[in-house]
Amino acid sequence: MAIRDRLSGNEAVAHALKQIGPDVMAAFPITPSTEIPQYFSAYASNGEVDTEFVAVESEHSALSACVGVAASGGRAVTATSSCGLALMWEMLYVASSMRLPIVLAVVNRALTGPININNDHSDSMGARDSGWIQLYAENNQEVYDNTIMAYRIGEHPDVKLPVMACQDGFITSHGIENIELLESDKVTSFIGTFNPDVRLLNPKHPVSMGPYSNASYYMEWKCQQAYAMKQAKQVILDISKEYANISGREYGLFEEYKMEDAERAIVIIGSSAGTAKATVDSLREKGEKVGLIKIRVFRPFPMDELAKALGHVKAVAVMDKAESFSACGGPLFAETRSACYGIPNAPKMINYVYGLGGRDVHVGCIAHVYSDLEKIIKTGDIGETYRHLSVRE
């Protein structure tokens, strides 16, 4: 029997971690992720979870500690946001290259500067090529579910990669929603034990981790990481099906919302998908053939699957809550446009960068995007491909 509760996204992460029981959490506070280690450290100090909580002096140290734990064969977790993730930069690449299935709860927040504590995706999108799997949540239920599945995904023998479980700062992290929790014994059974075949604390199988690698070996090393990321796509789908068996909630690489006969579509990530769905519902009531695709898994990117889902659409707007400063669009746009390049009669595609630094996006904003797509279909003229939404002149 599922347990119904009202939790914020940060509380949902902490509760999931309490049920999982990692060996070590190393963390340094930064808004808006601070509550995750705050809640979890209380569980540890109260004896509700057998986890060593390590209060470190920086986010770089937090991930460094997690690297040491995971390399030694333990389950490790940390949480961060914004500039905290930026301070981890060096260790992000170390963790992924060492094939350590660390879980990082990212509470997405704009990067400095100027200083801003509100939500956008510039922090995790900036780390998109660091070799980490990236899962994104629309709501608090998905935050909870993604946290649990992250361990199984990262620890799978065909993957062995670290995982970022991302949620939108303040919007889900501090917003309270009704969610369904699993019984702890089900989570324990689903997660299982972590017994890596290679670890530092195994005298019968001595290994060197993080060695110097020159030109003779470096490329093969990176190819192995790339292959593991390719493997992760099917693993994510398989584990989602397993999770559906115990939760009743099945997740794919992305969610298609009213896409069956859609002529206009939006591709979006995170909590803004909820606003976009409300817009779709409103426009559908008026007889307009609109839909959306919400990306859940950004790394590995679901290129072939997304191309198939968009193959029948006439016009698409890709919504980026991060600016890549490429002068031609945001990161999600670049990936989506590339995925659709080989489609016969590919949809006309534009990009909107929106919501930076917490700029509000409401139903009217999304309706404006659909209206622009309608004009493109009628005139055949894409106009400016790279656009910004709701910017003061």
Side-chain angles (χ1 to χ4, degrees), residues 142-188:
E142 292 183 18
V143 169
Y144 172 77
D145 295 335
N146 284 350
T147 302
I148 293 173
M149 284 185 277
Y151 278 95
R152 284 287 309 280
I153 293 165
E155 293 172 4
H156 193 282
D158 291 340
V159 178
K160 292 190 285 187
L161 289 173
V163 182
M164 293 183 192
C166 306
Q167 63 167 313
D168 285 353
F170 293 110
I171 300 171
T172 60
S173 68
H174 287 65
I176 296 175
E177 295 180 349
N178 294 325
I179 68 173
E180 288 190 355
L181 305 171
L182 297 174
E183 296 90 337
S184 294
D185 60 335
K186 285 187 177 180
V187 176
T188 300

Side-chain angles (χ1 to χ4, degrees), residues 261-317:
D261 62 343
E263 296 179 350
R264 290 171 280 155
I266 280 176
V267 179
I268 199 164
I269 286 181
S271 62
S272 299
T275 303
K277 288 176 182 177
T279 310
V280 169
D281 292 342
S282 176
L283 294 176
R284 281 278 176 176
E285 289 176 0
K286 300 174 183 177
E288 300 190 33
K289 295 181 178 180
V290 297
L292 74 83
I293 290 179
K294 179 191 73 181
I295 301 294
R296 172 178 174 252
V297 181
F298 186 71
R299 285 291 184 269
F301 191 75
M303 183 177 72
D304 295 333
E305 296 84 354
L306 185 58
K308 182 178 179 181
L310 292 173
H312 67 283
V313 177
K314 295 180 179 179
V316 177

Side-chain angles (χ1 to χ4, degrees), residues 73 75 155 193-199:
R75 276 188 173 131
E155 293 172 4
T193 58
F194 180 44
N195 294 308
D197 53 351
V198 176
R199 60 187 185 277

Side-chain angles (χ1 to χ4, degrees), residues 335-348:
E335 302 280 5
T336 304
R337 201 180 198 191
S338 174
C340 293
Y341 179 76
I343 301 176
N345 302 314
K348 298 182 184 301

Side-chain angles (χ1 to χ4, degrees), residues 10 31-33 81 106-110 117-121 123 166-175 271 321 358:
N10 283 344
T31 302
S33 67
S81 301
V106 178
V107 183
N108 289 116
R109 168 190 149 186
I117 66 166
N118 299 308
N119 168 250
D120 66 33
H121 298 153
D123 47 6
C166 306
Q167 63 167 313
D168 285 353
F170 293 110
I171 300 171
T172 60
S173 68
H174 287 65
S271 62
K321 214 172 190 180

